[in-house]
Amino acid sequence: MAGHLGWTCVGACAGAPSDAPSDTSTYASSDTSAHAPDASAQSSSGAALDAPTYYRDVAPLLASRCTECHRSGGIAPFALGTYDEAAPFAALVARTAVERTMPPFNLDNSGACNTYVGAPWLAESDIATLTAWAQAGAPAGEPTGETLESPSVWRLDRVDLTLEMPTPYAPTEPIVDDYRCFILEPGLAEDAFVTAFEVRLGRPDVVHHLTLYALDTAKDEQEAAALDAAQDGPGYTCFGDTLVPSRWLVGSGPSDKGGDLPAGTGLRIGAGRKAVLQMHYNWQNGAAPDRTAVDLKLEPMVEREAFIGQIADKELELPPGLPAVSESEALLMDGDYTLWGVWPHMHNLGEALRVTASRPGSESCLAQVNRYQFHWQRFAFYDRPVRVFGGDTLRITCTYDTTSRDTTTQWGFGTDDEMCIGFFYITPGGETDRADGPLAAGVSRSPGAPGSAPSSQRPRFER
Ligand code: HEC
């Protein structure tokens, strides 16, 4: 709504992070020789004596932090499960650890700007271990005989509703990035709130990521049905967003198959309303038919109804040929809110991103991305939720490397366009629990925003 400052909604009205292609890296085994340590240096070097060894120091670290993906059949392009698998990658492993590009996580979890629930963030001592091991020539050491297990994968503890694609869908072949929207029928008798979700991909090799949206009115449902009816095959093509007014519920990318939403919060699905599942297929691995399902845990009521809002800079004009171009946008808060998590979003030129909230005399950091990797975007929830207050100025700054371009890059949904968005998982904050600075998780929950509040009483956001 015009003139209304504050969070804008996220859905068809905004660029959900669903509009660019996947990484194309391949790791032919011949590539690895360039990174392999010099095996001869290892035996002749006395320094290797007190250096970390694979079996004693490195294998447990790789097992706990890396091999859930870096194993045969995992999503990473090479395995790190044995000495022979890991040693050729020692130098590259050390570099990715130092640069903090592996394990993949876009946000700075150092504590300088929040820390995040379950962040896959290496301790400085782990980085030192991997670096020293690589420098020593990747010594094997003595096998310990211990069996190393990767941490168990998170699973949903209760499934109340499964939303599944009605029929299998095979991505359309000439389209490298096929975005397809499927209308689903939750069929709820009463409003309910999503509090956790787990994605079950039909074909993990062809799905890049997905986003589930709620449709809140019969008119929105009719628009979606018309789009569906106008196209052959199941669903309809929906590049970038659902193309109808819709509200973002949950999303998942390659490193993220679901999880619990912050305790006491949830995302509403209306009684009798439909939903849209937007699938992003990338058929670099072929176009096998996929039938994906999302399992939801629901509660009839939550203490605080959450929504996804955003701060975005849509006026991007990025001149070509520059290693670091920054653009920035401010947003004046129209009320008090609690922020529970953030999803930073840029496209392929994105390098760094920062979001701050400032008020006279203080500034808080909401998100800091030092080395953005498009492939690894996802929601991350704060260990301690952050409050922002009416009158605060939120500012997002995005930095891009345009050296690969020879023309100006602008905002847009295309892969070669750019975006600059911080998506936030938000609950309206009550005046009753106004506090300065971050709110400790779990304390002073506002009774002011019960999940059953009629929509007219919920805060209004631009569509
Ligand atoms: C969530 C899954 C996942 C985890 C956990 C993970 N990786 Fe990766 N890794 C990948 C994928 C996928 C790639 C391929 C490149 C990409 O998609 O970013 C990759 C690529 C790499 C590369 C090559 C990077 C390059 O620049 O060429 C190295 C080295 C690496 N990982 C090491 C590690 C180490 C060491 C750990 C643990 C400390 C780790 N990874 C944890 C999925 C993962």
Side-chain angles (χ1 to χ4, degrees):
M1 43 209 66
H4 183 82
L5 295 173
W7 300 105
T8 51
C9 80
V10 170
C13 50
S18 48
D19 43 309
S22 81
D23 187 81
T24 55
S25 314
T26 50
Y27 293 87
S29 55
S30 59
D31 288 354
T32 65
S33 58
H35 309 295
D38 179 354
S40 63
Q42 178 184 334
S43 47
S44 60
S45 163
L49 270 183
D50 56 353
T53 67
Y54 172 77
Y55 288 107
R56 189 188 59 211
D57 309 293
V58 174
L61 185 53
L62 299 182
S64 65
R65 311 307 299 271
C66 317
T67 55
E68 63 171 286
C69 301
H70 288 272
R71 59 183 164 81
S72 62
I75 65 165
F78 53 89
L80 293 171
T82 65
Y83 179 72
D84 288 342
E85 287 167 350
F89 285 100
L92 197 54
V93 161
R95 200 185 76 206
T96 55
V98 168
E99 292 177 349
R100 292 198 178 279
T101 49
M102 283 287 149
F105 190 63
N106 274 331
L107 287 149
D108 185 322
N109 192 62
S110 67
C113 177
N114 304 300
T115 56
Y116 298 86
V117 177
W121 187 258
L122 295 178
E124 292 296 335
S125 57
D126 294 338
I127 296 172
T129 299
L130 294 173
T131 308
W133 179 63
Q135 280 168 355
E142 291 300 318
T144 59
E146 232 178 287
T147 320
L148 299 169
E149 306 244 353
S150 287
S152 58
V153 178
W154 180 91
R155 297 297 311 266
L156 197 57
D157 58 359
R158 193 185 78 215
V159 179
D160 297 308
L161 177 68
T162 294
L163 294 178
E164 186 175 34
M165 286 164 52
T167 53
Y169 173 76
T172 317
E173 204 122 348
I175 309 175
V176 176
D177 290 291
D178 185 5
Y179 287 80
R180 195 83 180 175
C181 281
F182 303 93
I183 300 172
L184 307 177
E185 306 227 14
L188 294 176
E190 306 281 344
D191 284 14
F193 295 86
V194 179
T195 58
F197 72 102
E198 181 176 343
V199 170
R200 285 188 286 113
L201 299 177
R203 290 294 304 234
D205 50 344
V206 299
V207 178
H208 180 269
H209 83 266
L210 60 85
T211 312
L212 180 66
Y213 296 86
L215 298 178
D216 286 330
T217 71
K219 183 169 170 291
D220 303 341
E221 291 173 355
Q222 283 152 15
E223 280 182 37
L227 288 169
D228 195 327
Q231 289 182 28
D232 289 341
Y236 60 93
T237 296
C238 55
F239 188 69
D241 66 40
T242 60
L243 310 180
V244 299
S246 52
R247 183 167 47 82
W248 184 0
L249 291 174
V250 297
S252 111
S255 64
D256 168 30
K257 295 288 169 275
D260 294 306
L261 300 177
T265 74
L267 296 159
R268 181 191 299 260
I269 300 181
R273 293 267 78 95
K274 294 184 177 157
V276 170
L277 180 65
Q278 184 201 46
M279 302 293 301
H280 173 187
Y281 293 106
N282 184 295
W283 56 266
Q284 276 157 4
N285 292 325
D290 166 67
R291 188 172 184 186
T292 284
V294 183
D295 289 333
L296 301 175
K297 185 175 173 180
L298 299 177
E299 298 294 343
M301 190 85 107
V302 288
E303 281 171 74
R304 295 179 158 198
E305 176 173 356
F307 65 99
I308 313 298
Q310 65 171 12
I311 176 170
D313 183 351
K314 300 188 177 178
E315 308 290 312
L316 300 176
E317 284 283 342
L318 309 174
L322 297 173
V325 190
S326 290
E327 295 251 8
S328 176
E329 176 70 303
L331 177 69
L332 185 64
M333 285 290 91
D334 62 345
D336 296 358
Y337 299 96
T338 302
L339 310 184
W340 302 82
V342 59
W343 177 323
H345 177 65
M346 299 181 284
H347 289 181
N348 294 316
L349 303 183
E351 290 282 309
L353 179 149
R354 182 175 170 84
V355 186
T356 55
S358 55
R359 58 195 74 99
S362 76
E363 179 180 273
S364 47
C365 182
L366 305 180
Q368 174 73 45
V369 176
N370 303 316
R371 237 176 245 274
Y372 180 76
Q373 303 180 82
F374 177 83
H375 203 66
W376 295 113
Q377 44 183 314
R378 53 175 286 187
F379 249 110
F381 294 107
Y382 302 123
D383 282 326
R384 290 164 58 88
V386 181
R387 295 297 304 272
V388 293
F389 304 110
D392 282 4
T393 300
L394 262 61
R395 179 170 297 278
I396 185 166
T397 304
C398 294
T399 306
Y400 307 86
D401 177 347
T402 64
T403 48
S404 62
R405 297 287 165 87
D406 47 21
T407 55
T408 298
T409 303
Q410 289 172 324
W411 169 274
F413 283 101
T415 304
D416 291 340
D417 302 325
E418 268 303 331
M419 288 200 176
C420 172
I421 309 178
F423 294 103
F424 288 91
Y425 185 94
I426 304 167
T427 59
E431 286 298 318
T432 48
D433 53 350
R434 186 171 183 124
D436 289 314
L439 177 83
V443 305
S444 61
R445 284 262 162 68
S446 165
S452 58
S455 52
S456 60
Q457 285 173 22
R458 279 184 269 136
R460 302 182 307 165
F461 301 96
E462 237 174 86
R463 266 212 180 272

